[in-house]
Amino acid sequence: MIRQAVIMAGGLGSRLKNLTEAMPKGFLEIDGMPIVETSVKKLFAAGIEEIIIGTGHCSEWFERLADKYHCIKLVKNERYADTGSMGTLACCIPHVWGDVLILESDLIYDNIGLSVLINDSRKNVILASGATASGDEVYLEADSNGILKKHSKDITKISSVYGELVGITKLTRSALDKMNSYCTAELQSQPKMEYETAMSYISSNAGNGGEQIAIRKIDNYAWREIDDENHLEMAITQVYPLIKESESLRSVRREVLLNPGPATTTDSVKFSQVCADICPREKEFGAVMEWISQELSGFVGDKDKIETVLFGGSGTAADEVMISSCVPDNGKLLIVDNGAYGTRLAKIASVYKLNFDVYKSSGYLPLDAEAVKAKLIEGKYTHLAIVYHETTTGLLNPVPEIGRFCKDNGIVTIVDAVSAFAAIPINMERDGIDFMASTSNKNIQGMAGVAFVFCRKSELEKTKDYPMRNYYLNLWDQYANFKKTSQTRFTPPVQSMYALRQAIIETKIETIEGRYARYSACWEVLVKSVKKTGLKMLVPEEAQSKLITAIIEPESSSGYNFNELHDFSIANAFTIYPGKLSDANTYRIANIGDIQPEEMERFTVLMEEYFSKIDI
Ligand SMILES: *Cc1c(COP(=O)(O)O)cnc(C)c1O
């Protein structure tokens, strides 16, 4: 698995002088975006977790890019004016921990090139194309097995042209180390060595301690390196349109899910599931799950203090894990029920015959935190279970306030944050949460199939001796086994796990605060339209989560019919969902997932069209 990329961006771009004197070449814009930013986005979409950019000339431009994409690490080549691309690459090598993609910064390319390299079974592979006639070709010569022998800009120095160097290569860390040694040894005679020189050297000396680098040629590959004004012109008028068309041909038919999960996903999350088969007991897959677990922990607190335990299952599985595993026999549990999910927690507790009471509250009025606190003390409860965001109605419960109170009073807190996590910023330490459930298919924007429980390590340790009330869903057994083996006890949903990994990469880039801002913007659009049509919302605006809105249905005598509204929406690629309350007729519009305010605008236009025919 390729988890890192290096972009070499130290160069001066001297042939584009008037354009790049005060700017690195990568910041030339095509279609309103710097070409290096387009490249960064393609790399993250291809599953790269971290991009190392080797900078030099005008390095401050990259600082702004790194502020925007948190998974970029900058390494400055202080000697950029006196070294070549190999000098910049050498500065990045200490930060590389495995197989890596190496790219030049002044490239535009079809993203298929990334997946071709990632899927090539050989370890070291250079991407090459057929003839480009760009006037700036780097020709590659191969041996009879397609292994790189030599490169040159002078075609007369090449006995037979195998392909042209694109500027995207997959290399192992050991190949990089060998290139670095060669560069160091040659420093006096070749101070401005280019990285392709080092590649040719190690590949043609594979028998002498070097390492073979294969050439993977795609004949009609769309790409352009931009070295002068002529290249820029060609890139804009000829190559960029080809790339755009080719990439759009691979997009998946768009359906916007306005139901409260599974949520709409990006194409990159969908495609991340299409990868080589792997036995989940292999080390490589264990490393994927360890990364997922740690990154999830990092979203809700200090990675050293939170353990995230993964299970195959939907969100309810995570709820059942917590309720069945986190209350000792002598414990006394209070469950807050102000919606269908609170009711579900109580149902689970009754199946396991726990000692519990239910605190019942209105499904649409804000929960009275003071009354819950009083009940907790009065009943001498040891544990509290509560839903963070009641997806039934869109009601947000005051979990941080109640959680902190519980911490002060030694009460363990169990929180169903299935539809809150990854939208509402949560810090388990700050908010007094000990155990918290969520799932891969809601705000984290992955596929259905992975349930997870966030645990404060100190509280998790205590569950070790609690009775094992079930087998598959036992928290301690799953945790202890994973710590020992980096495996789940039973077959995990392998492809959903890869999708979750990609969803985490994308969440880290957007940030949870940024995601909530986007969701809120979609909600604003919706609420404006609801008010315009004269419809009423169930929950007072100030108590709403801004993640899902329960809308009160007009009387059936008005001509309103949910099924008609649903069918009309789905015919336009929007999926909506009926209500779930027994005592109020509502339908629900969720605005979670990969959705933009413009799409919500399109939906509200449809809704207004439908309701214009109804007498509200
Ligand atoms: C979605 C959700 C769940 C889990 O439902 P599943 O159908 O098991 O995925 C649990 N609690 C809340 C609050 C939810 O929104």
Side-chain angles (χ1 to χ4, degrees), residues 314-316 319 341 344 387 389 391 416 418-419 442:
S314 76
T316 305
D319 280 337
Y341 294 99
R344 187 177 295 179
V387 175
H389 167 225
T391 324
D416 170 342
V418 177
S419 65
K442 289 193 178 173

Side-chain angles (χ1 to χ4, degrees), residues 312-328:
S314 76
T316 305
D319 280 337
E320 187 158 345
V321 166
M322 295 193 302
I323 298 288
S324 64
S325 308
C326 302
V327 186

Side-chain angles (χ1 to χ4, degrees), residues 92-308:
C92 300
I93 293 174
H95 304 277
V96 171
W97 23 263
D99 299 347
V100 66
L101 292 177
I102 309 286
L103 291 92
E104 298 174 27
S105 67
D106 50 359
L107 282 182
I108 64 167
Y109 56 88
D110 185 334
N111 64 13
I112 197 82
L114 301 177
S115 62
V116 164
L117 288 189
I118 288 168
N119 280 299
D120 197 295
S121 57
R122 297 164 296 183
K123 283 285 191 187
N124 297 306
V125 191
I126 291 187
L127 191 64
S129 73
T132 58
S134 69
D136 198 39
E137 299 89 334
V138 174
Y139 301 103
L140 301 176
E141 184 179 323
D143 70 9
S144 56
N145 296 315
I147 303 300
L148 173 69
K149 263 178 71 182
K150 203 170 158 187
H151 73 279
S152 181
K153 287 195 168 187
D154 181 352
I155 199 163
T156 63
K157 300 238 164 76
I158 299 285
S159 54
S160 146
V161 176
Y162 189 89
E164 292 182 16
L165 177 85
V166 171
I168 309 177
T169 308
K170 177 174 79 169
L171 292 173
T172 59
R173 171 66 203 255
S174 70
L176 283 173
D177 286 338
K178 286 168 190 163
M179 287 164 63
N180 196 16
S181 302
Y182 176 63
C183 170
T184 311
E186 294 289 309
L187 205 58
Q188 295 302 325
S189 56
Q190 303 186 61
K192 293 204 168 185
M193 186 188 286
E194 299 293 344
Y195 79 114
E196 55 265 35
T197 302
M199 290 198 295
S200 287
Y201 177 80
I202 69 155
S203 186
S204 56
N205 286 286
N208 287 321
E211 206 164 309
Q212 290 191 338
I213 304 178
I215 305 175
R216 177 70 181 259
K217 181 178 169 188
I218 308 175
D219 263 318
N220 294 306
Y221 187 56
W223 70 281
R224 170 65 48 241
E225 184 188 9
I226 300 169
D227 274 328
D228 59 30
E229 311 242 358
N230 185 28
H231 290 159
L232 182 60
E233 177 66 21
M234 242 158 91
I236 293 170
T237 58
Q238 295 169 31
V239 185
Y240 182 75
L242 281 178
I243 293 173
K244 222 172 140 181
E245 181 186 21
S246 160
E247 291 181 348
S248 75
L249 292 175
R250 294 190 291 272
S251 66
V252 179
R253 178 171 59 84
R254 182 126 177 110
E255 287 289 334
V256 177
L257 301 183
L258 300 176
N259 49 292
T264 310
T265 56
T266 58
D267 277 6
S268 37
V269 163
K270 294 179 187 81
F271 286 129
S272 67
Q273 301 177 107
V274 184
C275 56
D277 289 319
I278 189 167
C279 169
R281 307 228 174 267
E282 284 300 315
K283 257 209 190 90
E284 178 175 321
F285 195 75
V288 169
M289 288 194 291
E290 275 174 1
W291 185 87
I292 288 173
S293 165
Q294 282 165 18
E295 293 297 329
L296 287 173
S297 299
F299 284 132
V300 295
D302 183 341
K303 283 181 190 172
D304 296 328
K305 291 187 181 150
I306 312 278
E307 292 285 351
T308 302

